[in-house]
Amino acid sequence: MNVRTPRGKLLRNTGLYIAAFVTAAFVATPILFALLGGFKDNQQLRENALGLPSPWNAEHYTDVLTSDSFWRQVFNSVFIALATTVIVVGCAAMVAFVFARFAFRGREALFTLFAAGMMFPFAVAVLPLFIILRTFELLNSPLGVILPQAAFGLPLTIIILRSFFRAIPGEVEEAAVIDGAGPWLFFVKILLPMARPVLATVSVLALVGSWNSYLLPLVVLSRPTWWTLPLGVTQFQGQYASDTAKVLAFVMLAMLPALIFYAFAERHLISGLTSGGTKG
């Protein structure tokens, strides 16, 4: 059947809508289960796990929100994620600018070395990384999480930014040089403003990746003072293993900042990926 006919278009669109609905349901179901489960007690969870709370009980959410440890973990996660994002995007932008706009011997080999970092799993580096951080006395310090996260986030960010920077026409740089702008001024005043969509994209990726990081904080941070929310969730589950409803409330509140941020940043993420794909 020709998909260009009205009937063909209807069948094609119906298939897309069904696939989108199934995907959305697959993603939203555990979130809704955690959200509603936090308003129930354990008896309701046992007897009516998939139904609406009856009665609605906000005690679990208020207990978590009035806990000092929860807000300390929120602050730690925000601080570490923002610091990691600033380092990753700032350093990657400068490195990608050099790889994209300067020709020098060994450039492609060096770029390949950076790109190879994407194929290096973090789990393999846990032991040597732990020894290095212990040598520099960075254990139980936010820097012990921020710096390795930034290092592991650089390869993908450099690849994305280099592709975008290379797509900028050479005439733009030539016009800037004629106006008296050097490489640094061209980078700061012209290239970075033009790269706002892709900078927003890599910022979102770095921020969300840092926010959801679990293994690295687990290895580095043994004291509760600098625990992030993923570690807090694990600790809370162990402390309230018999109170499933309260654990669901904590998990939901721990997910909420990332969900809100991603909802607002989705437009920038999609536009950045689209611009990178169309200009590359």
Side-chain angles (χ1 to χ4, degrees):
M1 178 181 295
N2 189 352
V3 295
R4 293 186 178 182
T5 64
R7 186 178 179 183
K9 290 182 179 180
L10 178 62
L11 292 175
R12 182 186 61 182
N13 293 335
T14 301
L16 292 176
Y17 288 138
I18 292 175
F21 176 79
V22 171
T23 303
F26 184 78
V27 174
T29 298
I31 298 177
L32 290 176
F33 178 81
L35 175 64
L36 296 177
F39 287 103
K40 301 178 181 179
D41 54 32
N42 291 322
Q43 183 177 355
Q44 290 186 57
L45 281 175
R46 288 191 298 267
E47 297 175 356
N48 187 22
L50 300 179
L52 294 175
S54 180
W56 291 73
N57 181 13
E59 180 182 354
H60 297 311
Y61 285 102
T62 56
D63 288 345
V64 175
L65 291 174
T66 55
S67 171
D68 293 337
S69 60
F70 173 77
W71 290 109
R72 182 171 63 248
Q73 291 161 12
V74 170
F75 171 80
N76 294 341
S77 293
V78 170
F79 173 74
I80 290 174
L82 289 178
T84 300
T85 302
V86 170
I87 294 174
V88 168
V89 177
C91 294
M94 291 185 285
V95 174
F97 172 62
V98 173
F99 281 138
R101 312 301 296 193
F102 290 87
F104 54 90
R105 181 177 299 178
R107 181 184 67 174
E108 296 304 320
L110 188 59
F111 176 74
T112 303
L113 182 63
F114 271 97
M118 294 181 59
M119 298 181 290
F120 189 70
F122 173 75
V124 177
V126 168
L127 181 57
L129 181 60
F130 179 84
I131 296 174
I132 293 173
L133 294 176
R134 184 180 61 184
T135 302
F136 288 96
E137 299 182 353
L138 289 177
L139 296 178
N140 290 309
S141 167
L143 282 177
V145 179
I146 293 170
L147 296 179
Q149 280 186 164
F152 278 92
L154 281 174
L156 177 61
T157 310
I158 291 173
I159 291 174
I160 295 175
L161 291 179
R162 187 208 189 202
S163 176
F164 187 90
F165 290 163
R166 292 186 70 177
I168 302 298
E171 291 80 4
V172 176
E173 186 172 1
E174 293 174 1
V177 172
I178 293 174
D179 291 337
W184 176 252
L185 194 60
F186 169 71
F187 172 69
V188 174
K189 296 293 186 179
I190 300 176
L191 204 58
L192 289 184
M194 295 179 66
R196 283 177 182 173
V198 73
L199 288 175
T201 298
V202 295
S203 297
V204 171
L205 294 175
L207 192 67
V208 174
S210 175
W211 184 273
N212 294 329
S213 178
Y214 174 75
L215 182 57
L216 180 59
L218 178 65
V219 172
V220 176
L221 306 173
S222 59
R223 298 175 185 171
T225 307
W226 280 105
W227 277 0
T228 57
L229 273 176
L231 294 183
V233 169
T234 302
Q235 182 270 339
F236 198 85
Q237 287 176 332
Q239 183 178 356
Y240 296 96
S242 60
D243 196 346
T244 306
K246 181 171 286 190
V247 172
L248 290 176
F250 190 96
V251 170
M252 190 63 220
L253 290 173
M255 290 191 302
L256 193 59
L259 293 175
I260 294 174
F261 170 78
Y262 188 81
F264 282 102
E266 180 186 10
R267 178 173 58 87
H268 299 287
L269 180 63
I270 294 175
S271 64
L273 292 174
T274 304
S275 64
T278 55
K279 293 183 180 182

